[in-house]
Amino acid sequence: MSDLRTQLGEAVAAAFAAEGVDAGLARVTPSDRPDLADFQSNGALATAKAMKANPRELAGKIAERLANDPRLTSVEVAGPGFINFKLADAALAERAAQVASDTAHAGAAIVEAPRKVVIDFAGPNVAKPMHVGHLRSSIIGESLKRLFRFRGDTVWGDAHFGDWGFQMGLLIVAVGDEGKAEAFLAEGDGPFPAESPVTLDDLERLYPQAAGQAKEDPAFRDRARKATAELQGGRPGYRALWQHFVAVSRTALEREFGALGVTFDLWNGESDADPVMAEMIAHLETTGLLVEDDGARVVHVARPGETRKKKLADGSVIEAPSPPPLLVISSEGSAMYGTTDLATILDRRKVVDPDLILYVVDERQAEHFEQVFRAAYLAGYATEGSLQHLGFGTMNGTDGKPFKTRAGGVLKLHDLITQATDKARERLREAKLGDDLPEAEFEDIAHKVAIAALKFADLSNARTTSYVFDLDRFMSFEGKTGPYLLYQAVRIKSLLRKAGEQGLAPGAIVIGEPAERDLALTLDAFSQAVSEAYDKRMPHLISEHAYRLAQSFSKFYAACPVLIAPDEATKASRLALSKAALDQLEIALDLLGIATPERM
């Protein structure tokens, strides 16, 4: 089913075509003056200018062709050639009824040609606790996964955690130096202990310690590099120890992702690309793409003549390739970050053969992904444009810098969720919400409020922008916040429960009052919001719609009594509008990864 804006756009395009002008300019948008019209088209201005005609005269001809459209009560020309459209109450009622009956999509259209899509997001690392830096990727990636699936695509969400790089060599050496893994460091094929020699606390302590030592001690760094190469080369004891690192880390990762409501279809790491690594290297060699460069092996991805200015240590400036070559094999023989990313693309092609791969990763990784994508296109592992980096800004403190603890350290994600839940309990008690509920239900509500606050605060901003973290503001039950939206959803649920207790049920929708018109128009706009969010990969457009819908319902609720409406038909109609608003609001929130409680 098409939304009214799309239907009207098609009608206007047909009218433009009938006048012999470009139908592509017949764009219809919500009116800038909702007090005067519901929609408008400014296409006559651009078209008339190109034709050197009078725009108001052309607009008049278009309006005349649409004057008898039963969906419209008025078509008027304003100013130099704007066309204003006012929808008929009956058309709005019919469309609202369609939205209300569409329990799966609440009036939103699905794609005509579904695709196979892999979304690579979160990107946690083995042996490192998740911190606030992982929050945006997790939240945005989860929302996009839900959005693409909602639109009809087949989607795989992949955690793609870091488990194969230099940090693994650092840990192997550090664990060995503490005498915790002697059996794993021995030569030979094992067998090796089934019980992990390290805990998560051990890994969290040892990794930063080892990373710091590697910066100060070249001998330690060289040992770690050698261990990395031997691990990647298949040394049995190192592989067995590494598997314990991964298993211990994954337990913690699943806890944090579970608390956030983030799930994955694939729990692949960089290591999962290892089986295709030899094949990929051989192919790059055969095609002549892999070349020697100062002891390392690289793929040159810059196009002929594509350069940038590079400043050297001595202050001189030279012309260098742009982007730089992709480092595939280091001078020590280790696979690099870009190597595993390139091999992962090849592996995904073999296993899933996706039409599109989206990488939800910090904007600061843009050059890295440009290198990897270009190498993949050159090697024939992906078609041009099928790999997209969806960068995002940072979550900042009030100082405008990436968010940290008061002590200046990086805040663990687990601690952030705990802080948010504590604040949610406080706000619920201040508002006297949930006081009479069982403790277990109150705790569930507090957790939902906390996650809604964190997610909506993030997703109400455009993905590409940074924002300031302010937990007090995010946790308010007033204004543009997640808790406010949950409260509005619970409010409608309470209304519908009371109606059921009185034996009332939703019925045929009739539109008459201005607040009913506004709510019906808002319900209709969901399809456009979903489509634009999908096309632009911008979940904040769903957030914007959810907030507008909550506001629209609030105005409707204040202006149009439901349970004390003047007659049964009006009660049934307004209950149907209320139910449609709730269903659409819950679907929109679910696309953001936000669950709503039944009551507060």
Side-chain angles (χ1 to χ4, degrees), residues 186-210:
E187 297 284 353
D189 297 332
F192 302 100
E195 184 176 346
S196 175
V198 292
T199 64
L200 183 63
D201 288 340
D202 289 329
L203 295 179
E204 291 182 2
R205 172 180 58 83
L206 286 170
Y207 177 73
Q209 176 182 308

Side-chain angles (χ1 to χ4, degrees), residues 310-437:
K310 180 180 179 180
K311 190 173 183 179
L312 300 180
D314 62 3
S316 61
V317 177
I318 63 170
E319 293 286 334
S322 178
L326 176 69
L327 178 59
V328 177
I329 303 294
S330 72
S331 56
E332 290 83 15
S334 298
M336 307 304 291
Y337 180 34
T339 321
T340 54
D341 276 350
L342 186 60
T344 297
I345 293 171
L346 176 59
D347 183 55
R348 286 171 176 162
R349 179 183 172 189
K350 289 174 174 289
V351 176
V352 175
D353 194 22
D355 302 299
L356 179 67
I357 305 178
L358 304 177
Y359 294 79
V360 185
V361 184
D362 191 324
E363 183 61 41
R364 289 170 290 190
Q365 295 292 318
E367 184 176 78
H368 165 76
F369 282 109
E370 185 178 10
Q371 292 172 294
V372 172
F373 294 171
R374 288 193 184 197
Y377 298 146
L378 287 170
Y381 301 157
T383 57
E384 197 79 32
S386 65
L387 307 172
Q388 296 177 18
H389 171 217
L390 306 183
F392 53 83
T394 55
M395 185 176 82
N396 297 330
T398 53
D399 60 358
K401 298 178 181 179
F403 186 79
K404 294 184 181 296
T405 63
R406 291 182 180 177
V410 177
L411 182 64
K412 292 182 181 180
L413 187 55
H414 177 74
D415 293 338
L416 177 65
I417 295 172
T418 299
Q419 288 179 18
T421 305
D422 290 343
K423 180 65 72 173
R425 289 193 200 95
E426 180 185 319
R427 286 296 168 86
L428 284 165
R429 288 176 176 135
E430 285 176 358
K432 304 209 178 293
L433 295 171
D435 287 348
D436 57 342
L437 299 178

Side-chain angles (χ1 to χ4, degrees), residues 117-367:
V117 182
V118 171
I119 303 182
D120 183 320
F121 67 103
N125 291 302
V126 166
K128 297 181 186 178
M130 288 180 66
H131 53 78
V132 293
H134 293 103
L135 188 66
R136 294 212 74 186
S137 178
S138 301
I139 288 175
I140 296 168
E142 176 68 19
S143 181
L144 288 170
K145 182 191 73 180
R146 294 175 181 229
L147 174 60
F148 273 66
R149 196 168 282 162
F150 180 73
R151 289 277 281 161
D153 291 324
T154 299
V155 184
W156 292 264
D158 189 352
H160 194 66
F161 51 96
D163 66 347
W164 205 234
F166 181 53
Q167 76 267 29
M168 296 296 99
L170 288 171
L171 279 171
I172 289 170
V173 173
V175 169
D177 286 354
E178 286 207 348
K180 290 180 175 292
E182 292 180 4
F184 296 92
L185 303 184
E187 297 284 353
D189 297 332
F192 302 100
E195 184 176 346
S196 175
V198 292
T199 64
L200 183 63
D201 288 340
D202 289 329
L203 295 179
E204 291 182 2
R205 172 180 58 83
L206 286 170
Y207 177 73
Q209 176 182 308
Q213 187 174 351
K215 292 178 180 178
E216 304 294 331
D217 183 352
F220 182 88
R221 182 171 62 248
D222 289 342
R223 289 167 59 209
R225 285 174 173 170
K226 182 180 178 183
T228 303
E230 289 183 323
L231 168 68
Q232 294 175 355
R235 180 167 170 170
Y238 286 5
R239 287 287 178 102
L241 180 58
W242 163 79
Q243 286 172 352
H244 286 304
F245 295 164
V246 172
V248 167
S249 299
R250 179 165 169 175
T251 298
L253 295 176
E254 289 177 333
R255 177 192 68 185
E256 312 304 0
F257 286 127
L260 275 178
V262 172
T263 62
F264 298 96
D265 307 283
L266 303 172
W267 276 90
N268 290 341
E270 294 170 329
S271 62
D272 286 282
D274 187 59
V276 302
M277 196 74 74
E279 174 191 344
M280 182 187 78
I281 298 298
H283 175 258
L284 294 176
E285 289 175 335
T286 301
T287 56
L289 291 172
L290 192 65
V291 298
E292 296 287 334
D293 188 333
D294 197 22
R297 306 179 77 186
V298 305
V299 173
H300 290 286
V301 296
R303 301 181 183 95
E306 190 176 13
T307 62
R308 62 175 177 173
K309 295 188 181 301
K310 180 180 179 180
K311 190 173 183 179
L312 300 180
D314 62 3
S316 61
V317 177
I318 63 170
E319 293 286 334
S322 178
L326 176 69
L327 178 59
V328 177
I329 303 294
S330 72
S331 56
E332 290 83 15
S334 298
M336 307 304 291
Y337 180 34
T339 321
T340 54
D341 276 350
L342 186 60
T344 297
I345 293 171
L346 176 59
D347 183 55
R348 286 171 176 162
R349 179 183 172 189
K350 289 174 174 289
V351 176
V352 175
D353 194 22
D355 302 299
L356 179 67
I357 305 178
L358 304 177
Y359 294 79
V360 185
V361 184
D362 191 324
E363 183 61 41
R364 289 170 290 190
Q365 295 292 318
E367 184 176 78

